[in-house]
């Protein structure tokens, strides 16, 4: 947890990382809305679109591809991976599998084929904890050997091994492309509710959806969350098919969310987006707005309380991306030529 300051003399004062670092893991079954995962996933069965990929039940590899793209959208400059919680087929594709299944038939471009490109074109570093995927020795800048909680620089030895035992590393068939740039709104089911989202625990936000919204005609339901000229897509879920409990926001995958007070703040931010549903803002614009506001300014109608803590922009974005009532949209203007996250501020 080097993204947070530590209490003096607790032994972790020197455990520090970039404040925007995000942990990426496999999340089978997670919700994904309108994410361009083509840098990693293509040629899915039944010609499923990966430039605007949406699903209510992602696989391990597609969830990791979406999470990386969402992290770039949230301006993360460091991605953290633990081999134990990653999909193996997303990390590597060894020489034997390359011989058995040609690259043109394989839907997954593994992380190892993109990791240098992430640094060179996006200035994004990757830190991996690995015990079995030795192929990464060929692409690593630094290798640290951990033994009995003691760290040793093993870079020179790793490079020597890589030179003596070279691997066949496939290069991607296409350039990485731009990071996602999507507008965000909330479904009418939550916007029409008389009760705001509420943090039940550090890892769960209860969403009290409106039963009245279920009975609204589609056009009325849609107008409750988007302005007249908005491009926001309707949610993937049919209101009458899902219980309130199914739509509660599960944040158990957000390992860097450390306090229930942060979760309460995220619940307020979701409420704020609901109340501002006619604004057509991108994820980047929402995060910039929340950075400028005090926590009590968010949904001031809920009153001033003393149990809020500011979450990182990363956790706010990760939470919204897992909200099954969130509506994401890539406009035609942005699709395929969206500005990279490094240039967004210059274009505003």
């Amino acid at each position: 947890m080097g993204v947070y300051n530590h209490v003096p003399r607790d032994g972790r004062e020197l455990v520090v990382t970039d404040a925007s670092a995000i942990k990426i893991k496999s999340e089978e079954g997670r919700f994904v809305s309108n994410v361009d995962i083509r840098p990693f996933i293509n040629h899915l069965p039944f010609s499923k679109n990966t430039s605007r990929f949406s699903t209510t039940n992602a696989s391990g590899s597609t969830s990791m591809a979406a999470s990386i793209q969402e992290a770039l959208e949230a301006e993360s400059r460091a991605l953290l991976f633990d081999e134990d919680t990653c999909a193996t087929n997303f990390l590597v594709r060894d020489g034997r599998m390359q011989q058995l299944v040609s690259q043109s038939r394989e839907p997954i471009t593994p992380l190892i084929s993109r990791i240098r490109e992430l640094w060179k074109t996006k200035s994004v570093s990757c830190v991996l904890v690995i015990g079995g995927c030795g192929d990464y020795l060929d692409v690593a800048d630094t290798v640290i050997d951990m033994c009995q909680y003691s760290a040793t620089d093993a870079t020179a030895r790793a490079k020597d091994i890589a030179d003596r035992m070279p691997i066949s590393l496939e290069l991607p068939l296409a350039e990485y492309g731009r990071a996602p740039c999507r507008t965000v709104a909330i479904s009418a089911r939550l916007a029409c509710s008389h009760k705001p989202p509420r943090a039940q625990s550090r890892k769960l936000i209860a969403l009290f959806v409106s039963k009245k919204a279920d009975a609204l005609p589609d056009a009325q339901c849609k107008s409750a969350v988007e302005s007249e000229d908005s491009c926001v897509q309707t949610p993937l879920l049919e209101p009458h098919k899902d219980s309130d409990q199914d739509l509660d926001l599960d944040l158990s995958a957000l390992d860097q969310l450390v306090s229930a007070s942060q979760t309460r703040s995220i619940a307020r931010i979701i409420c704020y987006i609901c109340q501002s549903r006619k604004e057509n803002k991108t994820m980047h614009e929402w995060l910039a707005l929340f950075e400028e506001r005090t926590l009590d300014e968010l949904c001031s109608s809920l009153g001033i309380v003393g149990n809020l803590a500011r979450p990182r922009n990363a956790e706010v974005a990760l939470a919204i991306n897992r909200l099954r009532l969130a509506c994401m949209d890539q406009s035609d203007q942005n699709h395929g030529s969206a500005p990279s996250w490094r240039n967004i501020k210059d274009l505003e």
Side-chain angles (χ1 to χ4, degrees):
M1 292 298 177
V3 294
Y4 299 113
N5 293 328
H6 297 300
V7 177
R9 296 187 296 278
D10 81 341
R12 297 178 297 170
E13 293 90 341
L14 300 182
V15 180
V16 178
T17 189
D18 189 287
S20 67
I22 293 178
K23 183 176 180 180
I24 306 295
K25 60 165 61 173
S26 171
E27 299 176 59
E28 291 187 20
R30 71 153 283 196
F31 170 74
V32 177
S33 177
N34 215 339
V35 180
D36 185 355
I37 60 173
R38 288 177 298 174
F40 299 100
I41 309 290
N42 290 279
H43 316 306
L44 287 179
F46 308 110
S47 302
K48 187 171 178 63
N49 188 359
T50 57
S51 66
R52 297 173 179 264
F53 182 76
S54 297
T55 182
T56 59
N57 188 24
S59 67
S61 55
T62 55
S63 69
M64 290 187 67
S67 293
I68 290 175
Q69 291 294 84
E70 292 163 354
L72 297 184
E73 184 180 40
E75 299 188 350
S76 175
R77 296 180 182 273
L79 306 178
L80 311 177
F81 300 85
D82 185 341
E83 182 183 36
D84 289 346
T85 58
C86 292
T88 303
N89 62 340
F90 187 80
L91 292 180
V92 293
R93 202 164 89 91
D94 63 27
R96 289 182 174 180
M97 290 308 301
Q98 293 175 28
Q99 292 292 322
L100 182 64
V101 181
S102 66
Q103 189 176 16
S104 60
R105 290 174 51 213
E106 170 57 44
I108 301 176
T109 300
L111 176 64
I112 193 171
S113 297
R114 290 289 191 189
I115 198 165
R116 298 300 307 174
E117 191 178 6
L118 277 169
W119 168 247
K120 291 178 179 178
T121 66
K122 301 288 188 290
S123 298
V124 172
S125 299
C126 295
V127 179
L128 296 92
V129 178
I130 281 181
C133 297
D135 287 4
Y136 276 88
L137 298 182
D138 286 64
V139 296
D141 291 305
T142 303
V143 178
I144 298 175
D145 182 7
M146 296 293 298
C147 181
Q148 299 293 324
Y149 299 99
S150 178
T152 304
D153 188 345
T155 306
R157 188 156 52 95
K159 293 300 182 184
D160 178 62
I161 294 171
D163 290 340
R164 288 188 286 108
M165 304 173 63
I167 64 169
S168 174
L169 181 61
E170 288 181 329
L171 296 177
L173 296 177
E175 293 183 354
Y176 194 99
R178 305 293 182 92
C181 184
R182 301 168 298 162
T183 56
V184 182
I186 304 294
S187 167
R189 296 191 65 194
L190 191 57
C192 295
S193 175
H194 66 285
K195 296 175 70 176
R198 182 176 304 166
Q200 298 288 74
S201 66
R202 178 166 61 94
K203 296 296 186 180
L204 182 68
I205 294 178
L207 304 176
F208 303 98
V209 297
S210 172
K211 301 300 181 183
K212 180 180 178 182
D214 291 353
L216 291 175
D218 290 343
Q220 286 183 258
C221 219
K222 190 175 182 182
S223 65
V225 293
E226 55 184 14
S227 58
E228 199 170 296
D229 56 351
S230 171
C231 302
V232 176
Q233 293 184 345
T234 54
L236 292 170
L237 306 178
E238 292 295 333
H240 62 278
K241 293 183 180 178
D242 302 278
S243 67
D244 294 359
Q245 187 175 3
D246 291 335
L247 300 178
D248 283 347
L249 181 52
D250 181 6
L251 303 179
S252 58
L254 276 59
D255 293 341
Q256 293 162 296
L257 192 65
V258 297
S259 168
S261 297
Q262 292 177 310
T263 309
R264 294 187 193 99
S265 298
I266 291 174
R268 283 203 166 202
I269 287 171
I270 292 172
C271 183
Y272 185 92
I273 296 176
C274 288
Q275 293 180 353
S276 308
R277 55 188 174 271
K278 290 187 178 181
E279 298 184 28
N280 192 31
K281 294 184 182 295
T282 65
M283 178 71 78
H284 174 82
E285 291 169 334
W286 281 120
L287 296 179
L289 175 65
F290 300 141
E291 189 73 22
E292 296 172 357
R293 301 289 178 89
T294 65
L295 295 176
D296 286 323
E297 283 183 289
L298 302 176
C299 289
S300 56
S301 60
L302 301 179
I304 297 177
V305 296
N307 60 353
L308 302 178
R310 183 173 290 279
R312 298 187 307 155
N313 280 353
E315 273 65 57
V316 174
L318 294 178
I320 293 173
N321 278 308
R322 285 157 180 76
L323 179 62
R324 290 176 177 255
L325 293 172
C327 308
M328 311 292 192
D329 179 67
Q330 298 179 41
S331 68
D332 291 336
Q333 180 179 1
N334 286 333
H335 180 58
S337 60
S340 66
W341 59 263
R342 290 181 295 174
N343 298 327
I344 285 177
K345 292 181 179 178
D346 298 332
L347 297 176
E348 289 179 340

